[in-house]
Amino acid sequence: MGLPKTHTLDALSVGRLDHESGDAIVRYPGQVLVVRATGRGSYARTTTDRFGFPRLRRARAKQHFGYVTGDLVRADVPTGKWAGAWTGRISVRARGQHSMATPEGRINVSHWNLKLLQRGDGYGYSTRSEPSESTSRKIG
């Protein structure tokens, strides 16, 4: 087919195509949605030591200040070391000082500076661009 080797284009190429009768790939994706399982937090009631014995009890509440671990949020931090606008997935803390994972790394943000973009459903979503059709013809 002359297409680059990617999972998306492999799935597009599955099946029988009869080139002599005019069968061809009509639409070529420019971007694909990448879905990654991230989980919904831990259901454990205790934290154990290295031998498996309970070390401490965990908080019963999984939601703190209206946020749950895995929510996609936007943080507008006005001052300090992490000043600026950040977007990422949070891990909630009972104190309200949540930990946020961004592409640049982890930062700590207060619940006052957060705005919910998407509720955590156990998956992380992103997009990835596919090689252009013109480059694929040159490669193949």
Side-chain angles (χ1 to χ4, degrees):
M1 293 252 175
L3 298 174
K5 181 77 172 148
T6 65
H7 288 293
T8 309
L9 297 178
D10 284 349
L12 187 65
S13 302
V14 171
R16 183 178 302 166
L17 288 177
D18 187 11
H19 294 290
E20 295 164 0
S21 66
D23 288 347
I25 296 175
V26 179
R27 291 191 310 177
Y28 190 89
Q31 280 191 334
V32 292
L33 178 67
V34 180
V35 181
R36 184 175 152 197
T38 56
R40 291 174 170 250
S42 176
Y43 291 99
R45 304 283 11 130
T46 62
T47 299
T48 60
D49 63 9
R50 61 186 175 144
F51 304 108
F53 292 102
R55 187 170 60 87
L56 55 89
R57 288 188 196 163
R58 290 190 178 172
R60 289 195 169 276
K62 289 184 66 105
Q63 183 173 12
H64 299 285
F65 299 95
Y67 298 100
V68 179
T69 294
D71 287 350
L72 184 66
V73 295
R74 178 178 171 85
D76 293 314
V77 183
T79 59
K81 180 178 179 182
W82 306 110
W86 302 88
T87 304
R89 183 177 180 264
I90 61 167
S91 299
V92 295
R93 305 289 182 260
R95 285 182 46 222
Q97 192 72 13
H98 305 317
S99 176
M100 184 163 122
T102 66
E104 290 81 22
R106 282 202 164 291
I107 64 171
N108 293 323
V109 292
S110 173
H111 68 94
W112 294 109
N113 299 326
L114 295 179
K115 180 182 176 189
L116 182 68
L117 298 178
Q118 178 184 352
R119 281 278 175 214
D121 62 353
Y123 295 95
Y125 302 96
S126 62
T127 56
R128 174 177 50 85
S129 60
E130 283 292 312
S132 67
E133 189 174 6
S134 59
T135 20
S136 69
R137 298 293 179 217
K138 293 175 188 172
I139 295 170

